[in-house]
Amino acid sequence: HIPIPRRCEWRLAIPAATVRAIPSRPATPPMPAVASSTAAPSAADALAAARHESLNDVHARLNPTRARVLRPASVEEACAAVRACAAAGQALIPAGARHAMGGQQFLADGVVLDTAALCRVLAFDDARGLLTVEAGIRWPALLQWLAASPDNTGGWTIRQKQTGADDFSLGGAVASNVHGRGLAYAPFVEDVEALILIDAQGRLVETSREQRPELFALAAGGYGLFGVVAALTLRLTPRQVLRREVSLARVGDLHAAFARAIATGCTYGDFQFAIDPRSADFLDLGVLSCYRPEPGAAACASRHLQAEDFARLLLLAHHAPSRAFAEYADFYLATDGQRYASDAQQSGVYLDGYHSAVDRSLGHCGSEMITELYVPRPALAAFMARAADSLRRHRAQPIYGTVRLIERDPTSVLAWARESWACVIFNLHVHHDAVGIETAARAFRALIDDALRFGGSYYLTYHRWATRAQLEAAHPRIGEFLRAKREFDPGGVWQSDWYRHHLALMQA
């Protein structure tokens, strides 16, 4: 991971009194001015001096890329870098924490604009729960600011973030339109009030649902192809204390169980299923965890999985998956009744480099690759049965899997949540040789076919192994999205390996 630079500051770009004076009304308030340095170095010189670096995604390690990297220290420098690239006819793409596995943040033999230093809090409206931040800020730093700021008298916090890892940038969250474990939430775009983008000419452009809404709908979930997200205004929610309710469940009962949880007030939840293809419980038995608000209660969680626990369970999942699931289930069942802050329960342990120990134990180089499929909720059990058959047939090795819910995304052009779906996440082990990668690709394509059979879809962020027919069936607006990209960026300034792949696929 790229650590947040020590020079990052927590300061408001406009006086607090001015922020609090914004009327409490539905209209989007003006975005604050983005402060910048007064003497930025020559971006053209920086571009000329930049040397190729070796890059890769953090988790799967399946995107080795050589590219020049520019690291602007301010928004002004980022704008200048874009202008310099455009003048030189050099394509570029923004990158944050580098977790995406589909090549959205990389551009082979191009320029990668690293946004890590754009990490300040710019403005906070305590009356309305609106927070404006630069796009390179990571979730832990944002949560730390909200917890420590004396201006946060309303107890505001985030509504959702992706789970499984914390050190993601907010700009990346907008670009891939992430979601968390909310039981009745739409994707992250619905938590975003407004954006400031750097366009292909290096200009700052404000956009929201009221101001240039067509650009807002393209940039949210636009994978960096409509400009660099320089800053965003988040819609916050009051922090709550939640009580975790844990039980074992079967996938055939899951749709009704989630519906009961929502009807009785639970706000978050997920279902982590058995991962051993040799077991009759495979993709059927699971741990159902739901989180119920308890007003007036205090957070009190005495049992936690530590980093060493996760490392041991991950290793065990590669060698004895039934045992790994049993130990995981036993731990979660023992946490029934624990109370968590609504933001803290979304954070977790992520182990950098954990696969080195796994590789030594297996005697080969590998990693895990994630995919996420969507199906209508009543079809969940039938899909899981079909997916179990596909995974067994392709000799796939699941390491982790979970089921969540998502509400329809009414905003984004390339919306992956086209309906209120069940989300099924599979984390498959991939052997890093030609045979292993092709085996994984076939398994993932089979899972997409299984989802499409029920009228479902798949998430575009994790791999580039879908066929054109699968892409068009799952994402019927992909052609419109690519045409809009050419309209907004006729010079082709914004490009990525992901974009080039899908453009070629659609033109094949």
Side-chain angles (χ1 to χ4, degrees), residues 146-369:
L146 287 169
S149 173
D151 292 326
N152 187 8
T153 62
W156 298 102
T157 191
I158 62 169
R159 186 171 71 156
Q160 64 178 324
K161 60 176 283 296
Q162 79 296 319
T163 57
D166 297 337
D167 201 28
F168 288 60
S169 70
L170 273 291
V174 173
S176 54
N177 201 11
V178 301
H179 74 105
R181 59 164 67 101
L183 290 174
Y185 298 158
F188 184 61
V189 62
E190 295 308 295
D191 298 349
V192 178
E193 182 80 359
L195 300 171
I196 294 180
L197 300 174
I198 304 173
D199 71 6
Q201 289 75 46
R203 302 170 302 193
L204 292 176
V205 178
E206 297 182 19
T207 178
S208 66
R209 289 169 180 81
E210 293 79 31
Q211 186 174 7
R212 301 199 70 180
E214 73 289 349
L215 181 56
F216 183 84
L218 287 160
Y223 303 104
L225 298 174
F226 292 87
V228 179
V229 179
L232 60 152
T233 297
L234 292 177
R235 298 169 172 173
L236 303 175
T237 190
R239 184 181 291 109
Q240 296 178 301
V241 171
L242 308 175
R243 182 181 188 273
R244 179 189 274 170
E245 300 175 353
V246 188
S247 61
L248 290 177
R250 295 283 179 182
V251 74
D253 302 321
L254 191 55
H255 175 47
F258 273 140
R260 286 193 301 272
I262 295 169
T264 57
C266 291
T267 51
Y268 299 87
D270 57 13
F271 175 80
Q272 295 148 42
F273 49 79
I275 57 171
D276 189 346
R278 297 164 298 181
S279 169
D281 292 329
F282 182 51
L283 272 59
D284 182 25
L285 181 67
V287 180
L288 176 61
S289 301
C290 294
Y291 297 79
R292 183 183 307 280
E294 285 205 345
C300 181
S302 58
R303 293 176 60 87
H304 296 278
L305 284 172
Q306 305 300 323
E308 57 270 22
D309 299 317
F310 278 107
R312 184 178 59 80
L313 285 171
L314 284 166
L315 184 61
L316 199 58
H318 287 80
H319 293 279
S322 284
R323 183 179 161 196
F325 173 76
E327 291 192 14
Y328 189 80
D330 287 345
F331 171 81
Y332 262 82
L333 288 167
T335 66
D336 180 51
Q338 289 192 166
R339 296 178 177 87
Y340 306 82
S342 55
D343 46 10
Q345 61 89 17
Q346 301 183 61
S347 297
V349 175
Y350 182 84
L351 302 178
D352 283 323
Y354 77 89
H355 225 278
S356 296
V358 174
D359 287 348
R360 289 193 296 271
S361 73
L362 294 174
H364 69 246
C365 178
S367 68
E368 275 64 72
M369 172 69 83

Side-chain angles (χ1 to χ4, degrees), residues 43 76-88 198-204:
E76 181 183 58
E77 287 188 20
C79 292
V82 173
R83 290 193 293 271
C85 287
I198 304 173
D199 71 6
Q201 289 75 46
R203 302 170 302 193
L204 292 176

Side-chain angles (χ1 to χ4, degrees), residues 1 294 430 507:
H1 295 202
E294 285 205 345
V430 180
Q507 293 174 344

Side-chain angles (χ1 to χ4, degrees), residues 5-220:
R6 294 192 179 196
R7 65 173 174 270
C8 291
E9 304 171 333
W10 306 129
R11 62 191 175 102
L12 299 178
I14 55 179
T18 303
V19 175
R20 294 193 181 95
I22 295 173
S24 181
R25 54 187 176 86
T28 303
M31 292 283 278
V34 180
S36 57
S37 61
T38 56
S42 166
D45 290 344
L47 177 62
R51 296 291 180 261
H52 281 81
E53 300 180 21
S54 295
L55 308 173
N56 210 334
D57 69 276
V58 169
H59 187 73
R61 309 296 296 171
L62 287 171
N63 290 279
T65 307
R66 295 281 294 172
R68 288 185 287 173
V69 182
L70 295 178
R71 297 180 172 88
S74 67
V75 169
E76 181 183 58
E77 287 188 20
C79 292
V82 173
R83 290 193 293 271
C85 287
Q90 178 64 69
L92 76 159
I93 195 70
R98 304 181 186 180
H99 272 270
M101 301 179 208
Q104 292 90 342
Q105 76 279 47
F106 295 137
L107 180 59
D109 298 319
V111 174
V112 170
L113 191 72
D114 189 327
T115 62
L118 311 182
C119 57
R120 294 175 306 147
V121 171
L122 299 175
F124 178 54
D125 181 348
D126 186 50
R128 300 179 58 196
L130 297 176
L131 178 71
T132 302
V133 296
E134 290 181 334
I137 195 170
R138 310 287 179 91
W139 291 105
L142 183 148
L143 289 170
Q144 180 183 1
W145 188 91
L146 287 169
S149 173
D151 292 326
N152 187 8
T153 62
W156 298 102
T157 191
I158 62 169
R159 186 171 71 156
Q160 64 178 324
K161 60 176 283 296
Q162 79 296 319
T163 57
D166 297 337
D167 201 28
F168 288 60
S169 70
L170 273 291
V174 173
S176 54
N177 201 11
V178 301
H179 74 105
R181 59 164 67 101
L183 290 174
Y185 298 158
F188 184 61
V189 62
E190 295 308 295
D191 298 349
V192 178
E193 182 80 359
L195 300 171
I196 294 180
L197 300 174
I198 304 173
D199 71 6
Q201 289 75 46
R203 302 170 302 193
L204 292 176
V205 178
E206 297 182 19
T207 178
S208 66
R209 289 169 180 81
E210 293 79 31
Q211 186 174 7
R212 301 199 70 180
E214 73 289 349
L215 181 56
F216 183 84
L218 287 160

